[in-house]
């Protein structure tokens, strides 16, 4: 539950910042990979969720790909119109 709560908090804070900063030349984005290679599935105690999580890793993002995400988002935002929401 803590993981889900922190993910929601980051999304809510970022969305609030986006709305508050609108018109001030500030852009926000959230990088939320669906499946990545991390230790999270190994720490799950619910076997059903753990099994589903491990099954979703058939095409996981690698740490190297995740490190490129901020650069990719910056490039996309720089090429878009102001206010475009990825």
């Amino acid at each position: 539950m803590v993981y889900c709560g922190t993910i929601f908090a980051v999304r809510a804070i970022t969305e609030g910042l986006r709305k508050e900063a609108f018109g001030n030349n500030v852009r926000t984005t959230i990088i939320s990979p669906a499946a990545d290679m991390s230790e999270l599935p190994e720490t799950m105690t619910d076997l059903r969720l753990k099994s589903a999580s491990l099954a979703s890793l058939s095409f996981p993002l690698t740490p190297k790909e995740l490190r490129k995400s901020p650069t990719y988002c910056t490039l996309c935002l720089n090429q878009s119109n102001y206010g475009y929401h990825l």
Side-chain angles (χ1 to χ4, degrees):
M1 284 302 197
V2 173
Y3 180 77
C4 295
T6 57
I7 295 299
F8 178 79
V10 168
R11 293 186 70 82
I13 291 167
T14 302
E15 184 64 15
L17 176 62
R18 183 185 72 80
K19 289 179 179 181
E20 288 180 20
F22 184 78
N24 294 313
N25 201 27
V26 175
R27 300 175 184 178
T28 65
T29 191
I30 300 172
I31 300 170
S32 304
D36 62 14
M37 295 184 338
S38 72
E39 68 282 350
L40 182 63
E42 299 304 322
T43 64
M44 293 180 167
T45 55
D46 184 319
L47 297 179
R48 185 178 56 86
L49 291 176
K50 181 177 182 174
S51 176
S53 179
L54 291 171
S56 73
L57 292 176
S58 56
F59 297 102
L61 294 171
T62 65
K64 183 178 180 180
E65 291 168 325
L66 289 173
R67 284 193 304 272
K68 292 180 181 179
S69 298
T71 302
Y72 175 77
C73 289
T74 302
L75 292 172
C76 290
L77 287 171
N78 286 337
Q79 294 174 4
S80 70
N81 294 325
Y82 180 75
Y84 181 73
H85 192 71
L86 290 175

